[in-house]
Amino acid sequence: MANQFVTKIDDNIQMINELLKVRESFDLLYRVIDVGDHRLCFYFIDGLSKDEIMEKIMEFFYKMKPEDFPSDAYGFSKRYLPYGEVDLIKDTDALIKYVLSGVPCLFIDGYREGLAVDFRTYPARSVDEPEKDKVMRGSRDGFVETLVFNTALIRRRIRDPQLTMEMFTVGHASKTDVVVSYMGQRVDKRVLTEIKQRIEKIDIDSLTMNGESLAECLYQHKWYNPFPKFKFSERPDAASAAILEGNIVILVDNSPAAIIVPTSVFDIIEDADDYYFPPITGTYLRLSRFVIDVAAVIFTPLFLLLMQHPQWIPKGFEFIYITDPINIPILWQFLLLEFAVDGMRLASLNTPSMLSTPLSVVAGIVLGDFTVSSGWFNAEIMLYMAFVAVANYTQSSFELGYALKFMRIITLILTGYFGLIGFVVGLLITGIAIIRNKTLSGRSYIYPLIPFNGRQLLRRFFRISLPRSEGK
């Protein structure tokens, strides 16, 4: 139950100190100053406010005279607080929201309301290009963990009054800021209303994992379908392009990844490089990515099937048949290498940068000549798994990469035990998992293939020039 403030500042200070536990927390500070015949009190968090702005405001207050004070807090804010954003605080709930978000709050003797003066600052890294979403040509900036920086990066690219950014607060304890960004005249109103209602209904203690936690709250899909329901991007140019196309971008404070909805599998496979190169080059890159993703799923199961039935090997490709001794069944070699590749990926993430090169050399030796010469793996198996491992990095979505990996492992196991029937069933499972998946809007995951839209489908595969894409 929120408590209202009173006109006596001493009573307000006592109530706020007990509420915020100021004496127990070293970084929660308050400063009481006397200006004329009035007492003023600032509450702020050490490290989240700009000291020089605080000094300038205090210096200005010391020059005030008793007759300069208006009759209410609203008049005071209009005459003597010209800096930035200033909001009235009428109860303790609003106070907690502002102070714990880093906004300094001012209380003045004789006023029932407090004033939230937003001159906070957050510790933030520079807006460098994200490691995962790099491009060969194009913008080199990226989202960071500070929400206001991310909205500014989008505003810099879209200078249109139709660009709307609505703020929500999620989590009883974390009170995480969430921004829904969209173009008012281009967005699907039904989808927008649905997303805003889902965010408002979220009833959890905190968004522990930031964007991923919010995504799980927005769409509680079936766990056994690994294909992603959202597109995550750390690139402000990609997020801005999605907004201009009528999509919705959700930004979460403390997360450098924007959530783009609604998203189909074609949207997830797209990359910024497709648009930073001429149409013919962009088309080639996009088609290459599609082909490599499909090959990454069927390549190793198909090789396993051909090894089970050598008579099916096409003429001229007989060299792919393994003639060296096979000490471990091919299926188990592939499965062991699947886990080994993930082990190397996890090791690389947790290896200090100064040791990354030695680790790469050791891993190359151990998983290269030594494993082949020791008889654990055959050279052909190592070659095909190397292609599959590299193929996972042709697109930027980790979620899609692992979804394809899971489908590949399922198809491998079925092929190993049931041969051709298992191979076909594995491909059917993959196709059904993609087709049966749904976007947040309820639209087909493989639109414009289902429902069929020939013109849009061609645009998914072939990059066209900007004037033609806008119908000029």
Side-chain angles (χ1 to χ4, degrees):
M1 184 68 180
N3 295 321
Q4 302 292 321
F5 297 113
V6 296
T7 55
K8 293 183 178 180
I9 192 170
D10 291 335
D11 294 340
N12 289 333
I13 292 175
Q14 181 179 356
M15 179 174 60
I16 296 171
N17 288 351
E18 293 176 357
L19 179 67
L20 297 179
K21 301 186 182 303
V22 173
R23 292 180 178 85
E24 288 83 358
S25 299
F26 79 95
D27 59 337
L28 270 172
L29 306 177
Y30 74 102
R31 292 291 181 268
V32 179
I33 60 175
D34 292 324
V35 178
D37 57 352
H38 287 73
R39 298 186 71 194
L40 284 67
C41 181
F42 257 116
Y43 282 90
F44 57 96
I45 294 180
D46 188 19
L48 295 184
S49 60
K50 299 177 182 178
D51 295 340
E52 62 275 11
I53 302 299
M54 172 80 80
E55 292 177 1
K56 289 185 178 294
I57 290 178
M58 301 279 279
E59 181 181 353
F60 179 78
F61 286 167
Y62 280 127
K63 296 178 181 179
M64 295 179 63
K65 299 177 181 179
E67 58 270 18
D68 293 334
F69 284 83
S71 59
D72 56 15
Y74 178 78
F76 186 91
S77 68
K78 291 300 181 183
R79 292 179 60 183
Y80 301 113
L81 285 176
Y83 179 83
E85 300 176 13
V86 180
D87 293 321
L88 291 177
I89 307 174
K90 297 183 179 181
D91 53 47
T92 54
D93 283 350
L95 170 74
I96 292 174
K97 174 185 174 182
Y98 283 114
V99 171
L100 297 184
S101 297
V103 179
C105 294
L106 172 65
F107 290 87
I108 304 174
D109 193 21
Y111 296 161
R112 286 185 175 274
E113 297 92 4
L115 296 169
V117 190
D118 193 353
F119 54 87
R120 57 185 161 177
T121 181
Y122 286 129
R125 58 186 175 90
S126 61
V127 291
D128 293 331
E129 184 179 21
E131 287 291 329
K132 189 65 179 69
D133 288 346
K134 289 185 176 181
V135 292
M136 292 179 281
R137 181 189 295 169
S139 302
R140 302 295 178 182
D141 54 354
F143 288 136
V144 294
E145 288 75 15
T146 306
L147 185 62
V148 67
F149 287 8
N150 297 339
T151 56
L153 288 172
I154 294 177
R155 286 283 183 188
R156 184 181 179 187
R157 289 169 167 82
I158 305 177
R159 302 173 183 179
D160 192 305
Q162 290 297 321
L163 176 60
T164 305
M165 295 189 178
E166 294 191 42
M167 176 78 78
F168 298 86
T169 302
V170 179
H172 303 302
S174 66
K175 293 181 172 59
T176 306
D177 292 330
V178 176
V179 169
V180 177
S181 181
Y182 58 91
M183 292 291 287
Q185 294 180 343
R186 306 185 186 188
V187 70
D188 187 327
K189 302 295 185 181
R190 181 187 63 81
V191 177
L192 177 63
T193 302
E194 175 70 17
I195 289 176
K196 291 196 292 186
Q197 289 177 350
R198 291 192 184 192
I199 293 176
E200 291 172 346
K201 292 179 181 178
I202 293 176
D203 184 18
I204 58 173
D205 188 60
S206 65
L207 294 179
T208 310
M209 294 293 108
N210 302 324
E212 176 60 26
S213 298
L214 180 65
E216 293 177 6
C217 293
L218 287 177
Y219 194 103
Q220 300 178 10
H221 59 278
K222 296 179 175 62
W223 63 268
Y224 51 79
N225 194 327
F227 285 94
K229 310 298 184 297
F230 307 90
K231 181 176 181 178
F232 292 88
S233 178
E234 295 186 29
R235 298 192 58 85
D237 52 357
S240 301
I243 293 174
L244 291 172
E245 290 172 357
N247 293 325
I248 300 168
V249 170
I250 304 175
L251 302 170
V252 183
D253 196 21
N254 299 309
S255 173
I259 303 174
I260 301 175
V261 291
T263 300
S264 69
V265 68
F266 297 103
D267 296 321
I268 296 174
I269 295 177
E270 280 187 352
D271 193 79
D273 270 326
D274 298 350
Y275 298 94
Y276 278 124
F277 286 95
I280 186 170
T281 307
T283 299
Y284 169 76
L285 294 174
R286 183 177 298 179
L287 292 178
S288 299
R289 198 176 303 112
F290 273 105
V291 171
I292 292 173
D293 285 340
V294 173
V297 176
I298 68 174
F299 199 62
T300 53
L302 181 60
F303 176 77
L304 177 59
L305 181 64
L306 293 177
M307 292 303 101
Q308 292 175 340
H309 303 277
Q311 66 276 16
W312 294 352
I313 298 177
K315 187 177 180 180
F317 288 87
E318 293 85 357
F319 65 89
I320 69 172
Y321 187 74
I322 300 177
T323 56
D324 296 332
I326 301 176
N327 300 317
I328 296 179
I330 296 176
L331 171 62
W332 287 103
Q333 291 189 46
F334 278 130
L335 294 179
L336 287 173
L337 286 173
E338 289 280 3
F339 289 108
V341 169
D342 275 335
M344 291 180 59
R345 179 183 294 182
L346 293 174
S348 66
L349 290 175
N350 296 295
T351 302
S353 57
M354 66 182 68
L355 298 177
S356 59
T357 300
L359 177 67
S360 301
V361 173
V362 171
I365 294 174
V366 172
L367 290 181
D369 293 339
F370 285 177
T371 55
V372 174
S373 60
S374 65
W376 274 90
F377 300 101
N378 292 92
E380 292 85 354
I381 304 298
M382 297 289 294
L383 172 64
Y384 302 139
M385 273 307 303
F387 166 79
V388 169
V390 174
N392 282 334
Y393 295 101
T394 57
Q395 42 81 27
S396 60
S397 173
F398 276 118
E399 296 81 5
L400 181 59
Y402 274 106
L404 297 177
K405 180 187 183 72
F406 298 149
M407 295 298 106
R408 180 173 63 250
I409 291 176
I410 292 174
T411 307
L412 264 173
I413 295 174
L414 291 174
T415 303
Y417 285 101
F418 302 104
L420 179 60
I421 295 177
F423 180 76
V424 174
V425 171
L427 295 183
L428 287 175
I429 291 174
T430 303
I432 292 172
I434 296 175
I435 294 173
R436 295 285 296 174
N437 206 5
K438 294 291 184 182
T439 64
L440 188 64
S441 64
R443 191 176 66 181
S444 171
Y445 194 59
I446 57 174
Y447 174 83
L449 187 59
I450 299 177
F452 183 76
N453 185 326
R455 183 177 181 182
Q456 290 297 326
L457 183 62
L458 288 176
R459 289 190 175 187
R460 296 296 186 179
F461 289 98
F462 299 97
R463 223 283 265 161
I464 61 176
S465 62
L466 181 61
R468 291 185 61 189
S469 67
E470 295 187 353
K472 296 180 180 179

